[in-house]
Amino acid sequence: MAGITNRAFRKICTFWGAQFSFTEMISAESVVRNFKTVQRMLPKDEPNVAVQLFGNDPKTLAQAAKIVEPYAAWIDINAACPVKKVIKKNSGGALLNDLERLEKIIGSVKSSVQKPVTVKIRIGFEKNILDQIVHSCIKAGADGIEVHGRTVVQKYSGKAFWDLKLSQYGISTAVSGDIFEAEDFHKALEMSGANSALIARGALRKPWIFAQITQKRTPKITEIKETFTKHLKMQIEDEGERSIYKMRQFVAGYTHGMRGAREFREKFMKLNKPEDMEKAIEEFFNSFLMNECNNKIVEWIEEQS
Ligand SMILES: Cc1cc2nc3c(=O)[nH]c(=O)nc-3n(C[C@H](O)[C@H](O)[C@H](O)COP(=O)(O)O)c2cc1C
């Protein structure tokens, strides 16, 4: 997810059990012309991260893929993004309206790298033409596809379509869209016939969703507190103290469903020093645990009397 899945957050997802992840989408043009500006987005000490590129020119994408290949577990091409700025440049989801170009991009990237090449797609631009899109990807040599079960025009409206019949294609497939709980994960996998399922917004809302799926367990509040603090430290270590504002987008997830969370979030949003954030996390979670403990004691006393 652009603006979200940086190194620190990817590592947190891996810690909870995600088996692979993707970088934020990276402009192929920037990789080729101004590598320094995008270098921090690339995986470092992470074994199973695909680097996702977006762009429109087959040659530039091929050059960019070659440059990022040493950092990547594999290369992923974005043909799904519905954001206006991206579509205007005939990149992302706009490529689903120009399958000939998409094929050229895939072919050109494939021939410039050794590692596998996958393509992130939606079911169509305006209407469902998934079958046609998948055949184009296969014809051009893609090793796999990830399908968000909506059209580009739909953006995030309606419900993601999981009945994708992906097992018929004989390449590696992943289903994406509206997986917010472990049950959704299993249902999406079964309904789509995909080999794997991707979690985007669900990981932001509840980063430990991966533990619920892979280990069938929900972590204790103390574990969530420790991970929140660890995440903050990793963010600082990787991108410096000035980047801690990025932690604000995770606070709702880490405190999801907890009593007093709204007030805490409001307070947290105003903090801009690492030590203040760390202290606030410590105080909020400790006071939550203390209240829970008191409530249990009261319940026990009431049961006895
Ligand atoms: C804030 C945000 C940023 C996203 N950025 C990307 C991206 O860079 N590349 C990509 O392939 N998909 C991106 N997506 C789409 C997700 O990968 C996913 O396909 C979509 O959100 C549906 O899945 P979900 O219901 O699990 O969120 C983004 C989604 C969100 C909400």
Side-chain angles (χ1 to χ4, degrees), residues 1-5 22-26 52 54 76-83 120-122 146-150 155-156 160 162 175-180 198-205 249:
M1 283 179 284
I4 296 169
T5 50
F22 296 79
T23 62
E24 304 165 69
M25 59 176 197
I26 303 175
Q52 190 186 68
F54 74 98
D76 190 50
I77 299 167
N78 187 307
C81 180
V83 172
K120 170 77 180 296
I121 58 178
R122 287 186 173 226
E146 306 97 42
V147 189
H148 178 185
R150 289 185 171 91
K155 291 185 176 159
Y156 290 89
W162 290 339
V175 55
S176 161
D178 295 355
I179 300 178
F180 296 109
L198 309 181
I199 302 172
R201 290 169 299 171
L204 186 59
R205 279 188 210 176
Q249 60 194 350

Side-chain angles (χ1 to χ4, degrees), residues 79-98:
C81 180
V83 172
K84 231 190 200 162
K85 238 170 96 179
V86 176
I87 297 285
K88 256 188 167 168
K89 291 193 166 172
N90 292 321
S91 302
L95 292 172
L96 302 183
N97 258 343
D98 187 355

Side-chain angles (χ1 to χ4, degrees), residues 231-295:
H231 189 167
L232 170 65
K233 287 185 175 153
M234 283 186 342
Q235 177 63 44
I236 295 166
E237 207 177 289
D238 199 54
E239 295 187 34
E241 278 193 15
R242 288 174 68 183
S243 74
I244 58 165
Y245 68 91
K246 292 191 180 173
M247 290 306 293
R248 292 177 191 157
Q249 60 194 350
F250 301 106
V251 63
Y254 280 117
T255 57
H256 182 81
M258 291 170 73
R259 199 174 305 132
R262 194 155 57 92
E263 294 77 11
F264 172 67
R265 282 173 211 157
E266 278 167 17
K267 179 179 160 191
F268 193 87
M269 292 299 178
K270 294 181 191 134
L271 303 177
N272 43 31
K273 283 197 193 127
E275 57 274 22
D276 292 346
M277 279 191 179
E278 207 175 319
K279 190 164 162 240
I281 295 169
E282 191 71 23
E283 281 175 3
F284 172 70
F285 279 82
N286 286 352
S287 117
F288 178 84
L289 285 166
M290 189 71 87
N291 280 335
E292 290 289 289
C293 196
N294 281 340
N295 289 342

Side-chain angles (χ1 to χ4, degrees), residues 17-73:
Q19 287 166 350
F20 56 87
S21 60
F22 296 79
T23 62
E24 304 165 69
M25 59 176 197
I26 303 175
S27 150
E29 189 83 24
S30 302
V31 172
V32 173
R33 318 250 173 267
N34 208 350
F35 183 65
K36 264 201 159 158
T37 59
V38 297
Q39 200 167 9
R40 66 163 178 82
M41 296 162 105
L42 296 171
K44 194 167 127 192
D45 308 324
E46 297 167 274
N48 231 355
V49 183
V51 173
Q52 190 186 68
L53 296 171
F54 74 98
N56 173 262
D57 176 43
K59 217 169 126 193
T60 311
L61 271 139
Q63 281 176 321
K66 202 165 178 54
I67 295 170
V68 300
E69 187 180 17
Y71 302 84

